[in-house]
Amino acid sequence: MSRSLRIATWNINSVRLRLPLLRELDAVLRPDVLCLQETKCPDEHFPHEGISELGFEHVSARGMKGYNGVAILSRIPFVTRDEDPNWCMKGDCRHIGVTLDAPGGPIDLHDFYVPAGGDIPDRALNVKFGHKLDFIAEATAWFASHGEARRSVLVGDLNVAPLEHDVWSHKQLLKIVSHTPIEVEALMKWQQAGNWVDALRHFVPENEKLYTWWSYRALDWEAADRGRRLDHIWVSPDLRGNLVRHQILKPARGWERTSDHVPVLVELSL
DNA sequence: ATGGTAGACACTCTA
């Protein structure tokens, strides 16, 4: 007998503005757990009522005014781990860790919103790029010091498209923040630090294009199809055999007043 | 090489 656990992640780009879209997402994906990034919402204004109406009884939010912000919405109980690091000592609401009361035993879940890093891929000229690299390095060191992850899932907007076919043109994006070699190397070191399994690439071969984000700035995002895979789901190696399916909700990019990211989901059989 | 769009918030920051 096995039970399923459906974990989704979405950079929602304002949880208050897009609360109605969560109903659409829920109808299509039916996640047990939904991790959000860029909620742009201080905790005291978090729309708890609308979210509990969707059936998510368990909510942990870490937000601030104007920027950033993460939240985990869940149909299954969890405890928030408050002892996790305050990355880069900035208190800027880019991570929540919870331990899920999952079938078959607890699962540690991490929801990350990695700094985007600005436009210039040079830490000497752009402090945001330096912050991004420092953030990833700090996360790498933290997971390395904890050894190989076990019964763990790490999701979020990691703001790096690591593989050649995670972007519409590898060659044209080599100097564009999100796909530069220094960021790709840093992200891969992080992945290796916990021996994480890239769950989306577990399902989709590396020679196939795979995107989760399309810029707002295209006249016709769908026709141009200049996407990038910025959103990720990683699972610890002991859960590799429990992966049963994934979904990239590309139609969400066509919703009215939507985010520039689309929801991504992985189902585990536990 | 440039600029295009979007959200929060109240000036211009962030993406």
Side-chain angles (χ1 to χ4, degrees):
Chain A
M1 139 121 192
S2 73
R3 280 171 289 178
S4 72
L5 178 67
R6 293 168 64 80
I7 299 180
T9 178
W10 191 26
N11 179 320
I12 193 170
N13 187 15
S14 174
V15 68
R16 285 174 286 183
L17 189 68
R18 299 195 217 289
L19 190 59
L21 297 185
L22 282 180
R23 188 173 293 280
E24 303 298 313
L25 182 158
D26 191 54
V28 182
L29 292 184
R30 297 302 298 172
D32 298 296
V33 184
L34 173 58
C35 299
L36 301 176
Q37 304 87 35
E38 280 206 271
T39 53
K40 296 185 175 177
C41 180
D43 292 343
E44 62 270 27
H45 296 139
F46 197 82
H48 286 281
E49 194 173 327
I51 280 166
S52 77
E53 282 170 11
L54 292 175
F56 295 104
E57 292 182 30
H58 311 275
V59 174
S60 188
R62 188 164 290 160
M64 59 192 284
K65 186 171 164 180
Y67 318 93
N68 307 340
V70 287
I72 296 178
L73 326 179
S74 178
R75 294 192 157 89
I76 64 173
F78 61 71
V79 291
T80 303
R81 296 191 309 273
D82 288 318
E83 72 277 15
D84 284 352
N86 173 19
W87 309 94
C88 295
M89 297 301 289
K90 293 175 84 79
D92 58 355
C93 304
R94 295 182 178 275
H95 173 258
I96 290 189
V98 304
T99 301
L100 298 168
D101 184 13
I107 286 181
D108 284 338
L109 173 64
H110 293 273
D111 178 9
F112 274 99
Y113 175 50
V114 171
D119 289 332
I120 303 167
D122 181 342
R123 68 157 67 233
L125 301 173
N126 171 14
V127 294
K128 291 187 214 164
F129 193 72
H131 177 213
K132 180 177 196 174
L133 297 178
D134 292 345
F135 187 101
I136 294 173
E138 199 174 306
T140 303
W142 191 84
F143 283 102
S145 74
H146 286 69
E148 179 174 292
R150 295 177 59 228
R151 281 186 76 82
S152 298
V153 178
L154 187 159
V155 310
D157 176 4
L158 305 186
N159 265 318
V160 180
L163 304 178
E164 185 168 337
H165 293 291
D166 290 340
V167 294
W168 61 276
S169 168
H170 172 63
K171 195 175 169 189
Q172 286 179 257
L173 285 164
L174 276 169
K175 293 181 178 172
I176 303 298
V177 172
S178 74
H179 194 62
T180 63
I182 188 171
E183 292 167 87
V184 168
E185 186 184 359
L187 192 79
M188 291 320 231
K189 273 181 68 181
W190 182 6
Q191 195 176 311
Q192 286 151 16
N195 214 2
W196 295 100
V197 175
D198 179 342
L200 299 183
R201 283 302 183 186
H202 172 86
F203 294 107
V204 183
E206 291 192 2
N207 61 0
E208 284 181 27
K209 292 293 184 190
L210 186 60
Y211 312 139
T212 65
W213 173 90
W214 291 261
S215 173
Y216 281 127
R217 297 177 188 175
L219 290 170
D220 183 339
W221 70 275
E222 197 165 21
D225 199 24
R226 294 185 168 189
R228 305 179 202 170
R229 184 170 71 113
L230 302 180
D231 303 277
H232 297 264
I233 300 180
W234 296 348
V235 303
S236 53
D238 56 339
L239 294 178
R240 184 197 304 266
N242 303 82
L243 291 166
V244 292
R245 62 178 60 82
H246 83 291
Q247 281 178 267
I248 312 277
L249 195 59
K250 186 173 176 181
R253 187 61 182 80
W255 290 346
E256 286 292 314
R257 306 254 303 162
T258 196
S259 170
D260 45 356
H261 296 251
V262 299
V264 174
L265 176 140
V266 158
E267 181 175 322
L268 297 162
S269 174
L270 297 169

